[in-house]
Amino acid sequence: MKTQVCIIGGGPSGLMLSQLLHLKGIETVVLERQTRDYVLSRIRAGVLEHGFAKLMREAECGERMDREGEIHEGFFVARGEQMQRVDLHAHTGNSVMVYGQTELTRDLYEARDRMKGIVIHQAEDVQPHDLTTDKPYVTFRHNGVDERIDCEYVIGADGFHGVSRRCIPKDVLREVEKVYPFGWLGVLSRTKPVSPELIYSNNERGFALCSLRSQVLSRYYIQVPLTDKVEDWSDEAFWAELKRRLPAEVAERMITGPSIEKSIAPLRSFVAEPMRHGRLFLAGDAAHIVPPTGARGLNSAASDIYYLYHAMLAHYQRGDDSGLDGYSAKALARVWKAQRFSWWMTSILHTFPGTSDYDKKLQQVELDYLFSSTAAQHSLAENYVGLPF
Ligand code: FAS
Ligand code: PHB
């Protein structure tokens, strides 16, 4: 099998790039380890920067998002009984799109099918080869048969646990990481959301987040110790704890119901540099991870894909390799701004076990400043809607 760009990973990053390149006549093959149903069973991001929404439209995949997604022009930060609205539109003239990652991944798959894009599921033992030559190739096994794809470029869009990052030699790859001493217990329920806009709550019992997927599908999170297991949390226990961490006026109107999904995600900040090695380019979670507090994970993948898409266009249409040569530095510059914002949002909203009295005071003063300063709210708003690509 031959193609121009072999993409490892059929998550949002890989599918988006495949779709964008196909629309410009650049051939791709996507290799995905899991079944499509498995990929679509994962509940992840919920908030899209306007840049991501724009990319979905450019990929001719934005129609259902624009029909079913919700434009949000602000959100709330709660502290004890206090609630402060951050007016995204007033500060930036922009907004965010609330539309689940599961749905946009479904839209991307359907677009790939519509255009007869090649996405190979249950591709086992995917392995890139000869990445530092001008004839790289990728081997894998499918339905028990050993396969090979000869290509010109390999995109590692295979997430944090993928194979691509590990192809960069240890003496070249630099990885930095920060692991947080807690996780997020998330619940999806077919209930009316408690608030029309998101509520991020700093509470002495721990962080809580009220989000949504639609007006009949709520998404809630509470911070939990790393030692907690999902089975430790009944629905009743979850709802009771969530209410304790919200202002009384919000807790009182909470509509509870059975969880249709319940999971615990660990929180980490992680960056791998460089994001290029020869003909291999890393994108999305394969290269960087953020705690979901700032809703930057999926959105950081979007800017990687935007840069790679335009770099590939310049190469194939004009023989101009400046975009490819500058990709890693350009992508990392924006990745690190998202890292900073995600770390900052996490540091001001969560309780940190064993933190000093001084650091506790510092967190309260950060929140005092945010609640009292339009400049602080402007900074938060411009990061949340998405810094320019
Ligand atoms: P993904 O991990 O989504 O996709 C990579 C794909 O590669 C997967 O389908 C995987 O099966 C495949 N793959 C892996 N190894 C392979 C191999 N060897 N061969 C072939 N295929 C392989 N972000 C937010 O903004 N908000 C959130 O609330 C949020 N919650 C999250 C919760 C969890 C549990 C996780 C893990 C992430 C969350 N994220 C959130 C971040 C998430 O949305 C990612 O940023 C997003 O999935 C990134 O997309 P991809 O880069 O495509 O990586
Ligand atoms: C979600 O709806 O899953 C969500 C929203 C905002 C975040 C994190 C997760 O910051």
Side-chain angles (χ1 to χ4, degrees):
M1 204 184 306
K2 269 176 80 68
T3 191
Q4 288 173 297
V5 182
C6 182
I7 298 172
I8 303 174
S13 296
L15 294 169
M16 173 73 86
L17 183 61
S18 170
Q19 178 67 5
L20 288 165
L21 292 176
H22 193 140
L23 287 168
K24 295 295 182 187
I26 298 168
E27 290 170 12
T28 65
V29 171
V30 176
L31 298 176
E32 167 53 51
R33 176 165 62 182
Q34 305 290 354
T35 63
R36 185 174 296 193
D37 285 349
Y38 181 91
V39 174
L40 293 175
S41 69
R42 298 184 302 221
I43 306 296
R44 288 186 172 171
V47 171
L48 307 181
E49 294 176 2
H50 61 95
F52 195 114
K54 214 167 137 203
L55 215 45
M56 283 289 283
R57 298 182 190 110
E58 186 168 354
E60 299 181 6
C61 299
E63 191 267 332
R64 188 162 74 103
M65 173 192 71
D66 286 328
R67 194 174 66 246
E68 296 178 10
E70 288 193 5
I71 300 285
H72 281 212
E73 296 190 343
F75 65 86
F76 292 91
V77 178
R79 174 176 53 165
E81 290 305 312
Q82 275 185 298
M83 288 265 278
Q84 172 65 48
R85 183 168 186 268
V86 179
D87 190 333
L88 298 173
H89 194 262
H91 285 290
T92 69
N94 261 315
S95 55
V96 291
M97 170 74 78
V98 172
Y99 187 64
Q101 174 173 328
T102 308
E103 299 318 311
L104 68 91
T105 306
R106 196 190 312 281
D107 298 338
L108 287 164
Y109 269 124
E110 285 170 4
R112 294 285 60 218
D113 293 345
R114 216 170 34 247
M115 298 182 67
K116 307 246 184 304
I118 304 175
V119 180
I120 297 173
H121 283 280
Q122 295 179 286
E124 297 171 13
D125 298 334
V126 174
Q127 186 60 50
H129 303 270
D130 290 358
L131 292 169
T132 53
T133 73
D134 60 0
K135 292 188 183 319
Y137 65 96
V138 179
T139 56
F140 64 100
R141 195 168 53 258
H142 191 237
N143 296 332
V145 177
D146 289 337
E147 303 278 0
R148 168 175 167 145
I149 300 181
D150 290 286
C151 54
E152 293 161 20
Y153 293 98
V154 179
I155 307 297
D158 47 352
F160 184 67
H161 302 290
V163 65
S164 305
R165 191 175 65 247
R166 295 200 299 269
C167 295
I168 300 180
K170 288 201 181 325
D171 61 347
V172 173
L173 187 67
R174 298 179 306 282
E175 296 176 311
V176 289
E177 181 173 51
K178 182 184 190 59
V179 179
Y180 297 86
F182 39 75
W184 278 18
L185 168 60
V187 159
L188 195 64
S189 68
R190 291 195 200 291
T191 52
K192 179 169 173 38
V194 73
S195 166
E197 294 181 328
L198 273 65
I199 302 173
Y200 291 83
S201 180
N202 166 286
N203 183 283
E204 60 190 11
R205 297 177 65 89
F207 168 77
L209 170 59
C210 301
S211 182
L212 58 122
R213 293 290 178 271
S214 71
Q215 285 310 307
V216 293
L217 196 55
S218 300
R219 180 68 169 165
Y220 295 108
Y221 297 95
I222 56 172
Q223 167 188 349
V224 292
L226 283 175
T227 48
D228 276 16
K229 303 268 177 299
V230 178
E231 48 273 20
D232 298 339
W233 285 89
S234 68
D235 286 1
E236 294 66 33
F238 174 82
W239 290 115
E241 187 57 34
L242 175 64
K243 288 181 187 176
R244 291 188 198 102
R245 299 188 186 186
L246 296 169
E249 53 145 330
V250 177
E252 280 155 17
R253 60 174 196 262
M254 177 72 69
I255 299 171
T256 66
S259 60
I260 56 174
E261 193 272 351
K262 195 189 294 181
S263 54
I264 293 182
L267 271 62
R268 79 173 78 235
S269 298
F270 169 85
V271 180
E273 302 183 6
M275 289 174 59
R276 174 190 188 175
H277 179 62
R279 292 295 179 105
L280 171 69
F281 293 83
L282 301 183
D285 277 18
H288 43 76
I289 297 281
V290 284
T293 326
R296 290 310 94 188
L298 183 55
N299 292 302
S300 302
S303 46
D304 293 348
I305 295 308
Y306 175 85
Y307 299 139
L308 265 180
Y309 165 53
H310 285 283
M312 289 283 172
L313 279 194
H315 168 79
Y316 281 108
Q317 293 181 345
R318 305 192 298 276
D320 169 4
D321 283 357
S322 58
L324 292 175
D325 295 341
Y327 167 71
S328 182
K330 187 166 189 178
L332 284 166
R334 192 175 189 274
V335 160
W336 273 107
K337 293 188 181 93
Q339 291 282 326
R340 181 210 67 85
F341 177 65
S342 304
W343 159 80
W344 177 77
M345 279 280 270
T346 304
S347 68
I348 66 167
L349 291 171
H350 291 75
T351 51
F352 287 73
T355 191
S356 69
D357 290 344
Y358 182 85
D359 286 343
K360 278 182 193 153
K361 185 66 185 168
L362 218 46
Q363 185 185 73
Q364 290 311 313
V365 169
E366 275 284 351
L367 287 163
D368 291 341
Y369 180 51
L370 178 64
F371 276 50
S372 61
S373 160
T374 50
Q377 290 167 30
H378 185 94
S379 171
L380 170 42
E382 72 169 0
N383 280 277
Y384 197 84
V385 298
L387 296 175
F389 280 3

